[in-house]
Each structure stands twice: as C-alpha cells, then as structure tokens.
Amino acid sequence: MESNKPALQYSWDSSWLKPYESEWSIFEKFKYANTANMKDILTTFGGEAISAKLSKPIYPSEWVTELSNMNQLSDEKLSDVFGVDFKLIIATQKKTIHILSQPTLRDNLYYCKKCLKYGYHSLFHQFKLVHYCPFHPNEKLLNYCPGCNMAIKYNLSDKTKGFECSCGHTFMNTKENYCLLWNKYKPVPVDQTIIKWLSLVSVEREVLNSFILPKRIDPETKPNLMKYLLSIIDPNNNTKHNLNAHTATANPKVMSQENLSNEYAEVMSIKHYDDRYRIKDKLEKKVFTEIYDSTKLTYNAVSSHLLKTVLRKHKSCIKRFFNFDVDVEPICPYAYAYVHWRKHIEGLYRFQDVDSYRIVNTKLEYNYLNTISKIDYDEMNHVLLEWERLNDYKNEREEVPVKFRCLSATKWVVNHVLYLLIVNHFYNWLKFAGEERHINKGHVYFYHMLPPQYKYKDLPYYLIRVPDKSKSQNSVEMHWWIENDLSKLKYSCPFDTVKKRRHRHTNSDANIFSGYI
C-alpha cells in the first residue's frame, strides 16, 4: 500500500533546522530546496482559510503572506513536511527571546550578512533589542538589500529562489552545495548580553514581563535597552556597563490607599442601567479629577524648582520677555524656553496668558484621563491602559478596575511618568532656543508647539513595574536611564550683567523680526 504522506514529495531534511531560526529562514530554505514560490508554500501548507482564498482567481494578499498570520497554516501539513512540530518550536523560541509585555518584533527583515551567507536567519535578528548579531558580535544587523538599498518586508516573498531579493540580489552563498552549507552551519550565541538574556530563569522572566514600556520611545532607538533590562535583575550591570540608572519605589501601602472598591461595587449593584451608568460616570469623573489635580501639583512643583535652580539668574529675563518689546531686544534663551514650555504644556493660546510664577487654574474638561500636560495625552493614556491591563493580568482579573481600588498607586504612576516628560520638554525647549533654532536669517520666530523632532528627543527610557500579588511583590517601581543629561547644557544669556539688564534697546540695536510658526 502506497503512502500518501506529503513529506515524500518534497526535498527536506529536519537537520537543516537550527536553534533560534526564524520561520522566514525555514520557508526560504524550503523554497530554495524545492524551487518553490510563495503560492506553492501556501498551497502546500495552507489551512482551510488559505485554501479558500487560493481557490479564488486572485493573487494572495499581503495579509495571507505575513508571517504573523502563520496560524492560518495547517499544523498537520507543517509537521508532515518538516518532521517536527513547526509551530510549537517557533512559539517556544519566540517565548524564550521575546519576554516583554509589549510587541518588540520588527516589521521589516533585519539580518546578519554572515549568517545569511549560510542560509540562516535568526529570530534574534527580528528582536528590536538586538542590534548586532548574537553569533557574530561585530556584525551590525542590516535592514536593506545591498543590491537595491530597499527595505525587505518580513513576509513570504514571491521569488522563485529562496534567500533572494526582488531585485535579483542573492544573500546566500550559492557556489557551495546547499545541503552541505546548511548542515555544517551551527549558530552559537557568543555575545555575553545575549547569553545572559537566554540564561534568565522563569522568575526573572516574569519580572521583566511585569513592566510597562513607553509608547513614544521605539526600542529600536535604544541600543542599550537589553542591558537596561538585565540591570534590573542584576544591579551590578549598571556599574559594569556605566549605565546612568535611576529607581523610584513606592511605599507598599500606596496600593491600598484611596480604595474606592466599595463605592464601585455599590454603583455596579444598581439594577437600572441608566442610573448605573450615570452614577458610574460621576465616580469616574471623581477619579479622573483626582488624577488631574495631582498632575497640576507635580507640574507646579517642577516649575517652581526650575525657577529656583536653572532659571534663578534669569527671572528678570522672563519679566523682560513679557514687558519689553521683543522685536527690538535680544531674547534670553532661558526666558524663551520657559515661556514656550509653559504655553506648550498648559495648552495656552497666547504667551501673555503665561503667568511668571503660577500655573493657570484649569479644571478637568472631559470625563477621561487627562493631565496638566495637554501635549502628552497619548503617552499618558497609554501608560494608564497598560497599568490597567497588566494589573488585570497579574492579579487574576480583579472585579474592580485598578484606578478605583488603587487610586493612590495610579496617581503615583501617572505623576512619575509626567515628571520625566515635562522636565524633558523644558530642556528640549532650552536646547532649541540655546542653539538658536528659533532664529532664521535674523528673524526670531515664536512657536505654537515644539517641532516634532524635538518633542520626545533624549527622553530617558523608563519602565513601570506592576505589582504581582501572587509573587508577594506589592510595590510599584519606576526605573529610568538618562543617556544625554540635558540639564548640564549651558547657554549664553544676553543680560548676564547688571549693566546689560538695565540697558534699554532701541530699534537700531537689533535686527530682529518676530513671527509665529
């Protein structure tokens, strides 16, 4: 009786599979060994959903060919051809590498040119925390084809041969027999940071899975991020790698203070939907107002501190900014930065609305999370959503949302993140003004907002650790690392002497025009 097993129809050897190999690499090997294209792979391995799509006279869409949709492939067909539980191996290796609570895998192909010469690509290469090859530490990962300088999507390509760009450039060494090439290559991590990452035990992995990552800082831009994370597990790494690390830990009691669980339970027990919704809306407004008012205190404290330290010698410059004709006077970069920062954070319409020493007494406008910093809504909303999501995940989905049962802890998290954001905004305004970016061909411009490239520039990378009752870890932590300390930058003030401060400029003293952007 003849066997109908698909494995007999294809050229494949399970020894070609290597540790930490990506699904892209495996399918490229299959394509190369069998002269197969994308549609052949989808026909060979596709499940019912893909088979239904391929039965129609249309070209396979990008949705079908994205490697993130590999769950649409048939488990049985993959196992029959590759001789292993394909999905389990990939899932296990991804879990070993990717242990954070938020996505950190790249959309485009990143690769090591030495690895690809042997027809090998690793899941590590797609991990945003890895910038150099773990197997060749001196090889920086590339994200473009050297033949056409174009990025390559991390999906199933439709080239006839594997390991080939659409421009025709071949990545693999085709002069050597591919069977020998794939058999002899043995990828072994030699980078010490990667080795440490792989050696983390389950408890340590669970710790790193408990952190909220910032939304506005792409891990791709932080080459030391893996070292940052490992330094949380082993603080000696901070000294070893000269990391400018900081930690703030809340009092464990903060998780039980301002507990509104009873009020929330009473509201949810109301049977009539309209009444329940209306009263719950009031309770939520109470929570959001508490959070909003706490951020005003934080912002006011930061503003006062800046006036007593960095701006101590420039208070008269700030008054001059309001009271003198800036069209005919030079502008102190510290005054320019402070006024723009205040207007920017508070969302004020006019510079004249900025009070030198007090913030505008604003109130919560809408019934959702908002802070005094109007420009940071997306980042702060992301922090709160992740704070709620991870709390539910770590604490077995408590019936009462964390913002009601742990209001003090929620305010602690929001205000610690806000502090980093608003301080960084001020120093970015100061750097912008100190480098005279506001002056163009002798004209001084006032900005309604900081140019996008400056908004979160040099923001310290931060992480918020969510408590886990099951692990007896009941305190909130915040870790952050300062790479470029903007507070150390010094700029020249045009009124740095008493004589200069007393001198009143006229139109003939300066060639300045003010405009708005």
Side-chain angles (χ1 to χ4, degrees):
M1 179 174 169
E2 291 185 1
S3 172
N4 294 321
K5 293 181 70 173
L8 300 177
Q9 303 175 18
Y10 305 104
S11 174
W12 186 259
D13 189 329
S14 59
S15 67
W16 294 344
L17 295 174
K18 303 299 177 183
Y20 314 114
E21 188 164 16
S22 70
E23 59 266 69
W24 179 87
S25 181
I26 296 170
F27 283 120
E28 290 298 298
K29 282 180 177 177
F30 182 84
K31 285 166 56 181
Y32 191 90
N34 294 278
T35 320
N37 59 23
M38 175 188 67
K39 196 166 185 177
D40 294 332
I41 288 179
L42 295 177
T43 302
T44 302
F45 301 107
E48 293 182 3
I50 289 180
S51 298
K53 287 179 179 288
L54 293 176
S55 64
K56 299 176 182 179
I58 58 173
Y59 197 75
S61 67
E62 185 174 293
W63 180 87
V64 177
T65 62
E66 285 181 354
L67 290 169
S68 59
N69 290 312
M70 289 300 100
N71 61 322
Q72 299 297 318
L73 299 181
S74 166
D75 294 18
E76 183 179 355
K77 291 178 180 178
L78 288 167
S79 297
D80 284 344
V81 174
F82 292 120
V84 295
D85 192 331
F86 181 89
K87 289 186 180 180
L88 179 62
I89 288 177
I90 295 297
T92 301
Q93 295 192 143
K94 280 186 176 180
K95 190 175 180 180
T96 301
I97 296 170
H98 174 71
I99 59 180
L100 302 177
S101 63
Q102 292 165 236
T104 50
L105 295 177
R106 297 174 170 120
D107 295 327
N108 289 334
L109 180 73
Y110 276 64
Y111 66 93
C112 165
K113 61 182 180 182
K114 287 188 176 180
C115 286
L116 269 192
K117 286 289 183 184
Y118 289 93
Y120 174 80
H121 175 266
S122 173
L123 286 167
F124 269 117
H125 298 154
Q126 292 305 116
F127 192 30
K128 286 187 176 183
L129 274 64
V130 176
H131 300 269
Y132 286 81
C133 180
F135 319 104
H136 308 97
N138 294 323
E139 287 294 324
K140 188 172 184 179
L141 298 180
L142 304 176
N143 64 343
Y144 61 91
C145 168
C148 61
N149 290 323
M150 298 294 289
I152 304 170
K153 288 291 290 182
Y154 187 64
N155 58 17
L156 296 174
S157 62
D158 197 32
K159 292 301 298 181
T160 301
K161 290 183 178 180
F163 301 105
E164 191 172 276
C165 176
S166 58
C167 72
H169 175 80
T170 302
F171 294 96
M172 193 179 77
N173 176 14
T174 56
K175 295 180 181 179
E176 191 170 346
N177 181 281
Y178 69 87
C179 296
L180 298 176
L181 194 70
W182 296 345
N183 274 323
K184 75 178 183 181
Y185 188 60
K186 302 189 184 315
V188 178
V190 293
D191 182 90
Q192 291 303 308
T193 303
I194 297 293
I195 292 172
K196 176 65 177 174
W197 187 265
L198 290 173
S199 70
L200 293 173
V201 297
S202 59
V203 175
E204 294 169 332
R205 292 173 175 275
E206 193 64 31
V207 169
L208 295 183
N209 188 248
S210 302
F211 283 99
I212 298 171
L213 281 65
K215 179 180 180 180
R216 290 293 177 176
I217 307 179
D218 187 349
E220 192 74 70
T221 65
K222 297 296 175 183
N224 287 323
L225 181 52
M226 186 175 284
K227 293 176 181 176
Y228 292 167
L229 291 164
L230 291 174
S231 74
I232 295 172
I233 304 299
D234 180 9
N236 290 329
N237 278 340
N238 285 319
T239 305
K240 182 179 177 181
H241 298 291
N242 196 28
L243 303 177
N244 191 356
H246 303 266
T247 303
T249 304
N251 188 313
K253 293 181 180 179
V254 79
M255 289 300 293
S256 58
Q257 292 173 340
E258 294 187 274
N259 189 337
L260 303 179
S261 296
N262 291 336
E263 290 93 325
Y264 181 82
E266 287 179 10
V267 170
M268 299 309 291
S269 67
I270 298 173
K271 294 182 179 180
H272 193 277
Y273 175 80
D274 290 341
D275 289 341
R276 184 171 70 247
Y277 180 85
R278 176 175 51 81
I279 298 175
K280 182 187 175 185
D281 192 60
K282 285 185 178 180
L283 184 60
E284 280 197 319
K285 187 166 185 178
K286 176 183 176 181
V287 168
F288 290 134
T289 300
E290 284 270 351
I291 295 173
Y292 182 78
D293 288 343
S294 72
T295 67
K296 289 199 297 183
L297 295 175
T298 297
Y299 174 57
N300 202 28
V302 170
S303 181
S304 298
H305 178 73
L306 290 173
L307 287 168
K308 292 174 183 177
T309 54
V310 180
L311 301 169
R312 183 171 59 86
K313 296 181 180 180
H314 305 279
K315 292 180 181 179
S316 62
C317 300
I318 296 171
K319 292 180 180 178
R320 184 184 293 262
F321 188 95
F322 291 115
N323 299 327
F324 285 28
D325 187 352
V326 294
D327 283 351
V328 296
E329 285 194 330
I331 299 176
C332 168
Y334 291 86
Y336 183 97
Y338 178 74
V339 175
H340 277 74
W341 174 68
R342 289 284 305 273
K343 178 179 180 294
H344 196 206
I345 295 293
E346 296 173 39
L348 303 176
Y349 184 71
R350 304 179 308 161
F351 290 102
Q352 292 83 351
D353 294 333
V354 176
D355 186 290
S356 298
Y357 296 99
R358 292 177 298 178
I359 66 171
V360 175
N361 188 24
T362 54
K363 295 182 179 180
L364 182 70
E365 296 178 7
Y366 306 102
N367 195 12
Y368 56 74
L369 174 72
N370 209 337
T371 70
I372 186 65
S373 182
K374 302 296 186 290
I375 58 173
D376 292 313
Y377 171 76
D378 284 346
E379 183 70 15
M380 299 309 303
N381 191 56
H382 162 77
V383 169
L384 185 64
L385 290 175
E386 285 299 301
W387 169 248
E388 292 183 329
R389 182 182 69 82
L390 280 176
N391 263 286
D392 283 347
Y393 170 69
K394 295 292 178 184
N395 298 298
E396 300 179 353
R397 294 194 172 274
E398 295 262 3
E399 292 184 4
V400 181
V402 67
K403 63 176 177 278
F404 294 107
R405 72 174 190 273
C406 305
L407 179 54
S408 284
T410 303
K411 289 195 290 188
W412 191 96
V413 168
V414 168
N415 282 283
H416 275 71
V417 174
L418 180 71
Y419 168 81
L420 282 186
L421 295 175
I422 60 179
V423 168
N424 189 71
H425 288 319
F426 170 77
Y427 283 112
N428 275 330
W429 271 115
L430 181 57
K431 187 176 183 180
F432 181 78
E435 295 176 352
E436 298 187 346
R437 302 282 181 173
H438 61 303
I439 300 175
N440 185 20
K441 297 180 180 180
H443 294 183
V444 173
Y445 290 90
F446 301 119
Y447 285 69
H448 288 299
M449 61 182 65
L450 194 64
Q453 65 270 30
Y454 282 90
K455 187 174 180 181
Y456 292 105
K457 185 176 175 60
D458 294 316
L459 176 66
Y461 197 86
Y462 68 86
L463 299 168
I464 303 289
R465 184 178 182 181
V466 175
D468 188 343
K469 288 182 180 179
S470 64
K471 302 293 187 300
S472 299
Q473 196 278 321
N474 200 35
S475 61
V476 192
E477 294 176 2
M478 179 170 178
H479 301 261
W480 69 99
W481 296 264
I482 299 175
E483 295 179 346
N484 297 315
D485 192 350
L486 300 181
S487 66
K488 294 181 179 179
L489 298 176
K490 306 294 181 184
Y491 299 102
S492 176
C493 171
F495 308 107
D496 55 359
T497 66
V498 174
K499 183 178 179 180
K500 290 179 181 178
R501 286 195 288 269
R502 288 177 176 173
H503 177 60
R504 292 295 299 272
H505 291 254
T506 63
N507 285 316
S508 61
D509 291 330
N511 179 27
I512 297 178
F513 167 81
S514 63
Y516 287 87
I517 293 181

